[in-house]
Amino acid sequence: MTLPRILLLSLGGTITMTRSSEGGIVPTLTAADLAASVPGLDTVAAIETFSPLRRPSAGLTLDDLIGVARTLNERLAGDLDGAVVIQGTDTIEETAFVLDCLVAGDKPVVVTGAMRGPESAGADGPANLLAATIVAGSPAAHGLGVFAVLNDEIHAARLVQKAHTALPSAFRSPLAGPVGLVIEGEARIFLRSRRSPALTGPLADESAPVALLKMGIGDDGRLLAALPDFGFRGVVIEGMGAGHVPEALSAIVSGLVQRVPVLLASRTATGPVFCRTYGYPGGEIDLLARGALSAGALSGLKARLLLQLLLRAGIERAAYASYFADP
């Protein structure tokens, strides 16, 4: 049997970290180091390795991820069957989503990492890397976009969230659950999440800063109103509940949408922004009528990234709705 050809691309993260002489763990291991530490990896795929970065995931930038997507598009156009991106878990949900937006084609891309460093008792990195490689090489994963695979669970990039600071079971997809599992060395896909069209056109080199602002009781809107003057080219409001803000902020939103795109998301862990239920000032009907755009079921984190990409791609505001439509 011919084994699938899989690229392991490492960016750093806990899975690569060993203890430094100063105390604490820091990124040191490469993709090749990680591959050599996984029993049985060579029986499920023919592995290539590439380690362009060695950073904690909080240090990654959108430009870093755009570069990763460019590399993946180039390499997956050749004879590779899939790819695994290795990084820290803090921002896996964001990386997976950005790659889902930018990597074209049907070949699987999987993002994975570890909650425990390789020198820890019960380190989860080797098992996660093996499971991710199995998914990346599976025909069942073709055409379904980018996945995050940890703890033998297969999560769609659009849905996955980090939900715990410490446990190996930290990742959840609360809206619909994982789309599949790795069982007996096989990727089993049970659900198919809709994927938005990939942004395949050129992206401007200049950054497009987008602010992410969470609403709380009594917010008077002074920061919201000032955001364009700070150089932000877009704003994502994480509203209360199904997409609500204090009544006094309604007029501020009216002025803001004349200057920059404003997306309305929810600060809750899961669920879509409503569009036709609450009619009071500051409710979602009021805010959408004033020109705010719904982020659908996307988290504020992911809505912010997508808006940055749309701005850099030069997509007209009138076309945004199709990118934010729910799965």
Side-chain angles (χ1 to χ4, degrees), residues 11-14 17 27 53-62 64-65 86-95 162 304:
L11 303 177
T14 297
M17 292 187 184
L53 297 173
R54 212 176 293 183
R55 291 186 193 159
S57 63
L60 295 173
T61 68
L62 182 56
D64 290 332
L65 302 183
I86 302 161
Q87 70 154 73
T89 59
D90 284 358
T91 61
I92 273 183
E93 63 194 271
E94 293 167 272
T95 292
K162 187 172 183 179
R304 170 181 170 269

PDB file of all heavy atoms in Angstrom, residues 11-14 17 27 53-62 64-65 86-95 162 304:
ATOM      1  N   LEU A  11       5.308  25.657  13.660  1.00  0.00           N
ATOM      2  CA  LEU A  11       5.444  27.077  13.984  1.00  0.00           C
ATOM      3  C   LEU A  11       5.900  27.301  15.419  1.00  0.00           C
ATOM      4  O   LEU A  11       6.156  28.428  15.813  1.00  0.00           O
ATOM      5  CB  LEU A  11       4.106  27.794  13.761  1.00  0.00           C
ATOM      6  CG  LEU A  11       3.503  27.675  12.355  1.00  0.00           C
ATOM      7  CD1 LEU A  11       2.147  28.367  12.302  1.00  0.00           C
ATOM      8  CD2 LEU A  11       4.441  28.250  11.314  1.00  0.00           C
ATOM      9  N   GLY A  12       5.982  26.207  16.207  1.00  0.00           N
ATOM     10  CA  GLY A  12       6.378  26.333  17.608  1.00  0.00           C
ATOM     11  C   GLY A  12       5.260  25.881  18.519  1.00  0.00           C
ATOM     12  O   GLY A  12       4.484  24.991  18.199  1.00  0.00           O
ATOM     13  N   GLY A  13       5.167  26.494  19.693  1.00  0.00           N
ATOM     14  CA  GLY A  13       4.112  26.156  20.636  1.00  0.00           C
ATOM     15  C   GLY A  13       4.553  25.171  21.702  1.00  0.00           C
ATOM     16  O   GLY A  13       5.669  24.640  21.681  1.00  0.00           O
ATOM     17  N   THR A  14       3.654  24.887  22.644  1.00  0.00           N
ATOM     18  CA  THR A  14       3.945  24.005  23.768  1.00  0.00           C
ATOM     19  C   THR A  14       4.456  22.646  23.317  1.00  0.00           C
ATOM     20  O   THR A  14       5.339  22.055  23.952  1.00  0.00           O
ATOM     21  CB  THR A  14       2.685  23.823  24.637  1.00  0.00           C
ATOM     22  OG1 THR A  14       2.311  25.088  25.189  1.00  0.00           O
ATOM     23  CG2 THR A  14       2.922  22.846  25.771  1.00  0.00           C
ATOM     24  N   MET A  17       8.145  22.704  23.171  1.00  0.00           N
ATOM     25  CA  MET A  17       8.850  23.419  24.237  1.00  0.00           C
ATOM     26  C   MET A  17       9.546  22.485  25.220  1.00  0.00           C
ATOM     27  O   MET A  17       8.956  21.515  25.691  1.00  0.00           O
ATOM     28  CB  MET A  17       7.887  24.330  24.988  1.00  0.00           C
ATOM     29  CG  MET A  17       7.370  25.494  24.172  1.00  0.00           C
ATOM     30  SD  MET A  17       6.396  26.633  25.197  1.00  0.00           S
ATOM     31  CE  MET A  17       5.846  27.803  23.947  1.00  0.00           C
ATOM     32  N   PRO A  27      10.058  27.327  23.096  1.00  0.00           N
ATOM     33  CA  PRO A  27      10.104  26.528  21.871  1.00  0.00           C
ATOM     34  C   PRO A  27      11.541  26.183  21.476  1.00  0.00           C
ATOM     35  O   PRO A  27      12.389  27.074  21.343  1.00  0.00           O
ATOM     36  CB  PRO A  27       9.459  27.438  20.818  1.00  0.00           C
ATOM     37  CG  PRO A  27       8.716  28.477  21.586  1.00  0.00           C
ATOM     38  CD  PRO A  27       9.472  28.659  22.857  1.00  0.00           C
ATOM     39  N   LEU A  53       9.063  28.633  11.664  1.00  0.00           N
ATOM     40  CA  LEU A  53       9.046  29.488  12.850  1.00  0.00           C
ATOM     41  C   LEU A  53       9.210  28.627  14.099  1.00  0.00           C
ATOM     42  O   LEU A  53       8.942  27.421  14.082  1.00  0.00           O
ATOM     43  CB  LEU A  53       7.728  30.268  12.950  1.00  0.00           C
ATOM     44  CG  LEU A  53       7.417  31.265  11.827  1.00  0.00           C
ATOM     45  CD1 LEU A  53       6.011  31.818  12.001  1.00  0.00           C
ATOM     46  CD2 LEU A  53       8.438  32.382  11.776  1.00  0.00           C
ATOM     47  N   ARG A  54       9.618  29.278  15.193  1.00  0.00           N
ATOM     48  CA  ARG A  54       9.720  28.597  16.474  1.00  0.00           C
ATOM     49  C   ARG A  54       9.258  29.597  17.537  1.00  0.00           C
ATOM     50  O   ARG A  54      10.049  30.214  18.222  1.00  0.00           O
ATOM     51  CB  ARG A  54      11.167  28.150  16.713  1.00  0.00           C
ATOM     52  CG  ARG A  54      11.289  26.867  17.522  1.00  0.00           C
ATOM     53  CD  ARG A  54      12.723  26.420  17.646  1.00  0.00           C
ATOM     54  NE  ARG A  54      13.293  26.012  16.372  1.00  0.00           N
ATOM     55  CZ  ARG A  54      14.529  25.525  16.236  1.00  0.00           C
ATOM     56  NH1 ARG A  54      15.309  25.398  17.284  1.00  0.00           N
ATOM     57  NH2 ARG A  54      14.971  25.168  15.049  1.00  0.00           N
ATOM     58  N   ARG A  55       7.933  29.755  17.646  1.00  0.00           N
ATOM     59  CA  ARG A  55       7.367  30.792  18.501  1.00  0.00           C
ATOM     60  C   ARG A  55       6.242  30.243  19.370  1.00  0.00           C
ATOM     61  O   ARG A  55       5.562  29.289  18.983  1.00  0.00           O
ATOM     62  CB  ARG A  55       6.756  31.921  17.652  1.00  0.00           C
ATOM     63  CG  ARG A  55       7.739  32.763  16.885  1.00  0.00           C
ATOM     64  CD  ARG A  55       7.003  33.901  16.222  1.00  0.00           C
ATOM     65  NE  ARG A  55       7.840  34.567  15.226  1.00  0.00           N
ATOM     66  CZ  ARG A  55       7.375  35.303  14.236  1.00  0.00           C
ATOM     67  NH1 ARG A  55       6.062  35.458  14.098  1.00  0.00           N
ATOM     68  NH2 ARG A  55       8.187  35.874  13.386  1.00  0.00           N
ATOM     69  N   PRO A  56       5.970  30.895  20.493  1.00  0.00           N
ATOM     70  CA  PRO A  56       4.701  30.639  21.187  1.00  0.00           C
ATOM     71  C   PRO A  56       3.571  31.175  20.318  1.00  0.00           C
ATOM     72  O   PRO A  56       3.757  32.152  19.575  1.00  0.00           O
ATOM     73  CB  PRO A  56       4.837  31.431  22.489  1.00  0.00           C
ATOM     74  CG  PRO A  56       5.820  32.514  22.167  1.00  0.00           C
ATOM     75  CD  PRO A  56       6.769  31.941  21.159  1.00  0.00           C
ATOM     76  N   SER A  57       2.400  30.554  20.399  1.00  0.00           N
ATOM     77  CA  SER A  57       1.346  30.929  19.445  1.00  0.00           C
ATOM     78  C   SER A  57       0.807  32.333  19.685  1.00  0.00           C
ATOM     79  O   SER A  57       0.269  32.953  18.765  1.00  0.00           O
ATOM     80  CB  SER A  57       0.211  29.919  19.476  1.00  0.00           C
ATOM     81  OG  SER A  57      -0.428  29.889  20.737  1.00  0.00           O
ATOM     82  N   ALA A  58       0.955  32.868  20.891  1.00  0.00           N
ATOM     83  CA  ALA A  58       0.531  34.250  21.126  1.00  0.00           C
ATOM     84  C   ALA A  58       1.390  35.244  20.351  1.00  0.00           C
ATOM     85  O   ALA A  58       1.005  36.401  20.174  1.00  0.00           O
ATOM     86  CB  ALA A  58       0.571  34.567  22.619  1.00  0.00           C
ATOM     87  N   GLY A  59       2.555  34.804  19.874  1.00  0.00           N
ATOM     88  CA  GLY A  59       3.446  35.676  19.116  1.00  0.00           C
ATOM     89  C   GLY A  59       3.250  35.614  17.616  1.00  0.00           C
ATOM     90  O   GLY A  59       3.928  36.331  16.877  1.00  0.00           O
ATOM     91  N   LEU A  60       2.339  34.763  17.152  1.00  0.00           N
ATOM     92  CA  LEU A  60       2.082  34.677  15.717  1.00  0.00           C
ATOM     93  C   LEU A  60       1.303  35.904  15.252  1.00  0.00           C
ATOM     94  O   LEU A  60       0.542  36.509  16.008  1.00  0.00           O
ATOM     95  CB  LEU A  60       1.290  33.416  15.384  1.00  0.00           C
ATOM     96  CG  LEU A  60       2.002  32.086  15.641  1.00  0.00           C
ATOM     97  CD1 LEU A  60       1.043  30.920  15.429  1.00  0.00           C
ATOM     98  CD2 LEU A  60       3.231  31.938  14.744  1.00  0.00           C
ATOM     99  N   THR A  61       1.469  36.258  13.980  1.00  0.00           N
ATOM    100  CA  THR A  61       0.755  37.385  13.398  1.00  0.00           C
ATOM    101  C   THR A  61      -0.076  36.915  12.218  1.00  0.00           C
ATOM    102  O   THR A  61       0.124  35.807  11.685  1.00  0.00           O
ATOM    103  CB  THR A  61       1.730  38.463  12.908  1.00  0.00           C
ATOM    104  OG1 THR A  61       2.462  37.941  11.767  1.00  0.00           O
ATOM    105  CG2 THR A  61       2.718  38.867  13.994  1.00  0.00           C
ATOM    106  N   LEU A  62      -1.005  37.757  11.784  1.00  0.00           N
ATOM    107  CA  LEU A  62      -1.800  37.422  10.607  1.00  0.00           C
ATOM    108  C   LEU A  62      -0.906  37.270   9.382  1.00  0.00           C
ATOM    109  O   LEU A  62      -1.123  36.386   8.548  1.00  0.00           O
ATOM    110  CB  LEU A  62      -2.870  38.488  10.367  1.00  0.00           C
ATOM    111  CG  LEU A  62      -3.810  38.234   9.185  1.00  0.00           C
ATOM    112  CD1 LEU A  62      -4.509  36.885   9.288  1.00  0.00           C
ATOM    113  CD2 LEU A  62      -4.837  39.361   9.073  1.00  0.00           C
ATOM    114  N   ASP A  64       2.128  36.136   9.390  1.00  0.00           N
ATOM    115  CA  ASP A  64       2.722  34.802   9.496  1.00  0.00           C
ATOM    116  C   ASP A  64       1.781  33.755   8.904  1.00  0.00           C
ATOM    117  O   ASP A  64       2.207  32.869   8.145  1.00  0.00           O
ATOM    118  CB  ASP A  64       2.984  34.435  10.962  1.00  0.00           C
ATOM    119  CG  ASP A  64       4.105  35.241  11.595  1.00  0.00           C
ATOM    120  OD1 ASP A  64       5.011  35.680  10.856  1.00  0.00           O
ATOM    121  OD2 ASP A  64       4.073  35.410  12.824  1.00  0.00           O
ATOM    122  N   LEU A  65       0.508  33.850   9.236  1.00  0.00           N
ATOM    123  CA  LEU A  65      -0.463  32.849   8.785  1.00  0.00           C
ATOM    124  C   LEU A  65      -0.727  32.968   7.291  1.00  0.00           C
ATOM    125  O   LEU A  65      -0.930  31.961   6.601  1.00  0.00           O
ATOM    126  CB  LEU A  65      -1.764  32.989   9.567  1.00  0.00           C
ATOM    127  CG  LEU A  65      -1.625  32.861  11.095  1.00  0.00           C
ATOM    128  CD1 LEU A  65      -2.994  32.945  11.754  1.00  0.00           C
ATOM    129  CD2 LEU A  65      -0.917  31.576  11.478  1.00  0.00           C
ATOM    130  N   ILE A  86       1.620  22.560  12.924  1.00  0.00           N
ATOM    131  CA  ILE A  86       1.852  22.346  14.353  1.00  0.00           C
ATOM    132  C   ILE A  86       2.114  23.699  15.001  1.00  0.00           C
ATOM    133  O   ILE A  86       2.958  24.472  14.523  1.00  0.00           O
ATOM    134  CB  ILE A  86       3.076  21.432  14.555  1.00  0.00           C
ATOM    135  CG1 ILE A  86       2.875  20.091  13.844  1.00  0.00           C
ATOM    136  CG2 ILE A  86       3.367  21.228  16.028  1.00  0.00           C
ATOM    137  CD1 ILE A  86       4.160  19.331  13.604  1.00  0.00           C
ATOM    138  N   GLN A  87       1.390  23.982  16.092  1.00  0.00           N
ATOM    139  CA  GLN A  87       1.599  25.265  16.766  1.00  0.00           C
ATOM    140  C   GLN A  87       1.061  25.198  18.183  1.00  0.00           C
ATOM    141  O   GLN A  87       0.532  24.182  18.628  1.00  0.00           O
ATOM    142  CB  GLN A  87       0.919  26.388  15.997  1.00  0.00           C
ATOM    143  CG  GLN A  87      -0.602  26.357  16.051  1.00  0.00           C
ATOM    144  CD  GLN A  87      -1.192  27.746  15.843  1.00  0.00           C
ATOM    145  OE1 GLN A  87      -1.183  28.255  14.739  1.00  0.00           O
ATOM    146  NE2 GLN A  87      -1.717  28.358  16.901  1.00  0.00           N
ATOM    147  N   GLY A  88       1.185  26.316  18.906  1.00  0.00           N
ATOM    148  CA  GLY A  88       0.653  26.394  20.253  1.00  0.00           C
ATOM    149  C   GLY A  88      -0.860  26.430  20.259  1.00  0.00           C
ATOM    150  O   GLY A  88      -1.496  26.918  19.325  1.00  0.00           O
ATOM    151  N   THR A  89      -1.442  25.919  21.344  1.00  0.00           N
ATOM    152  CA  THR A  89      -2.898  25.795  21.391  1.00  0.00           C
ATOM    153  C   THR A  89      -3.627  27.107  21.650  1.00  0.00           C
ATOM    154  O   THR A  89      -4.822  27.213  21.369  1.00  0.00           O
ATOM    155  CB  THR A  89      -3.317  24.788  22.479  1.00  0.00           C
ATOM    156  OG1 THR A  89      -2.822  25.223  23.745  1.00  0.00           O
ATOM    157  CG2 THR A  89      -2.792  23.397  22.168  1.00  0.00           C
ATOM    158  N   ASP A  90      -2.933  28.135  22.170  1.00  0.00           N
ATOM    159  CA  ASP A  90      -3.620  29.387  22.508  1.00  0.00           C
ATOM    160  C   ASP A  90      -4.380  29.966  21.325  1.00  0.00           C
ATOM    161  O   ASP A  90      -5.455  30.558  21.502  1.00  0.00           O
ATOM    162  CB  ASP A  90      -2.619  30.434  23.013  1.00  0.00           C
ATOM    163  CG  ASP A  90      -2.153  30.167  24.429  1.00  0.00           C
ATOM    164  OD1 ASP A  90      -2.630  29.195  25.041  1.00  0.00           O
ATOM    165  OD2 ASP A  90      -1.292  30.923  24.916  1.00  0.00           O
ATOM    166  N   THR A  91      -3.827  29.836  20.127  1.00  0.00           N
ATOM    167  CA  THR A  91      -4.451  30.459  18.952  1.00  0.00           C
ATOM    168  C   THR A  91      -4.771  29.462  17.848  1.00  0.00           C
ATOM    169  O   THR A  91      -4.933  29.850  16.688  1.00  0.00           O
ATOM    170  CB  THR A  91      -3.554  31.582  18.394  1.00  0.00           C
ATOM    171  OG1 THR A  91      -2.288  31.025  17.993  1.00  0.00           O
ATOM    172  CG2 THR A  91      -3.318  32.670  19.421  1.00  0.00           C
ATOM    173  N   ILE A  92      -4.878  28.178  18.182  1.00  0.00           N
ATOM    174  CA  ILE A  92      -5.183  27.179  17.153  1.00  0.00           C
ATOM    175  C   ILE A  92      -6.496  27.491  16.444  1.00  0.00           C
ATOM    176  O   ILE A  92      -6.603  27.354  15.217  1.00  0.00           O
ATOM    177  CB  ILE A  92      -5.212  25.760  17.762  1.00  0.00           C
ATOM    178  CG1 ILE A  92      -3.794  25.171  17.767  1.00  0.00           C
ATOM    179  CG2 ILE A  92      -6.147  24.829  16.989  1.00  0.00           C
ATOM    180  CD1 ILE A  92      -3.704  23.755  18.288  1.00  0.00           C
ATOM    181  N   GLU A  93      -7.520  27.922  17.191  1.00  0.00           N
ATOM    182  CA  GLU A  93      -8.810  28.175  16.541  1.00  0.00           C
ATOM    183  C   GLU A  93      -8.691  29.302  15.516  1.00  0.00           C
ATOM    184  O   GLU A  93      -9.373  29.286  14.475  1.00  0.00           O
ATOM    185  CB  GLU A  93      -9.884  28.502  17.567  1.00  0.00           C
ATOM    186  CG  GLU A  93      -9.651  29.766  18.373  1.00  0.00           C
ATOM    187  CD  GLU A  93     -10.562  29.844  19.589  1.00  0.00           C
ATOM    188  OE1 GLU A  93     -11.677  30.375  19.462  1.00  0.00           O
ATOM    189  OE2 GLU A  93     -10.146  29.364  20.662  1.00  0.00           O
ATOM    190  N   GLU A  94      -7.820  30.271  15.784  1.00  0.00           N
ATOM    191  CA  GLU A  94      -7.641  31.375  14.846  1.00  0.00           C
ATOM    192  C   GLU A  94      -6.826  30.947  13.628  1.00  0.00           C
ATOM    193  O   GLU A  94      -7.171  31.262  12.483  1.00  0.00           O
ATOM    194  CB  GLU A  94      -6.976  32.554  15.563  1.00  0.00           C
ATOM    195  CG  GLU A  94      -7.873  33.173  16.626  1.00  0.00           C
ATOM    196  CD  GLU A  94      -7.130  34.110  17.550  1.00  0.00           C
ATOM    197  OE1 GLU A  94      -6.590  33.622  18.567  1.00  0.00           O
ATOM    198  OE2 GLU A  94      -7.075  35.315  17.251  1.00  0.00           O
ATOM    199  N   THR A  95      -5.733  30.217  13.855  1.00  0.00           N
ATOM    200  CA  THR A  95      -4.927  29.735  12.738  1.00  0.00           C
ATOM    201  C   THR A  95      -5.738  28.831  11.822  1.00  0.00           C
ATOM    202  O   THR A  95      -5.704  28.969  10.586  1.00  0.00           O
ATOM    203  CB  THR A  95      -3.693  28.974  13.252  1.00  0.00           C
ATOM    204  OG1 THR A  95      -2.825  29.893  13.900  1.00  0.00           O
ATOM    205  CG2 THR A  95      -2.942  28.293  12.120  1.00  0.00           C
ATOM    206  N   LYS A 162     -11.074  26.991  21.838  1.00  0.00           N
ATOM    207  CA  LYS A 162     -10.371  26.526  23.031  1.00  0.00           C
ATOM    208  C   LYS A 162     -11.223  26.883  24.242  1.00  0.00           C
ATOM    209  O   LYS A 162     -11.606  28.033  24.425  1.00  0.00           O
ATOM    210  CB  LYS A 162      -8.988  27.165  23.152  1.00  0.00           C
ATOM    211  CG  LYS A 162      -8.163  26.564  24.295  1.00  0.00           C
ATOM    212  CD  LYS A 162      -6.715  27.051  24.301  1.00  0.00           C
ATOM    213  CE  LYS A 162      -5.932  26.359  25.413  1.00  0.00           C
ATOM    214  NZ  LYS A 162      -4.523  26.777  25.457  1.00  0.00           N
ATOM    215  N   ARG A 304     -13.245  38.931  13.507  1.00  0.00           N
ATOM    216  CA  ARG A 304     -12.184  39.945  13.370  1.00  0.00           C
ATOM    217  C   ARG A 304     -11.186  39.543  12.295  1.00  0.00           C
ATOM    218  O   ARG A 304     -10.794  40.366  11.446  1.00  0.00           O
ATOM    219  CB  ARG A 304     -11.482  40.129  14.715  1.00  0.00           C
ATOM    220  CG  ARG A 304     -10.213  40.957  14.664  1.00  0.00           C
ATOM    221  CD  ARG A 304      -9.561  41.061  16.032  1.00  0.00           C
ATOM    222  NE  ARG A 304      -8.236  41.649  15.946  1.00  0.00           N
ATOM    223  CZ  ARG A 304      -7.112  40.947  15.795  1.00  0.00           C
ATOM    224  NH1 ARG A 304      -7.163  39.618  15.717  1.00  0.00           N
ATOM    225  NH2 ARG A 304      -5.945  41.559  15.715  1.00  0.00           N
TER     226      ARG A 304
END
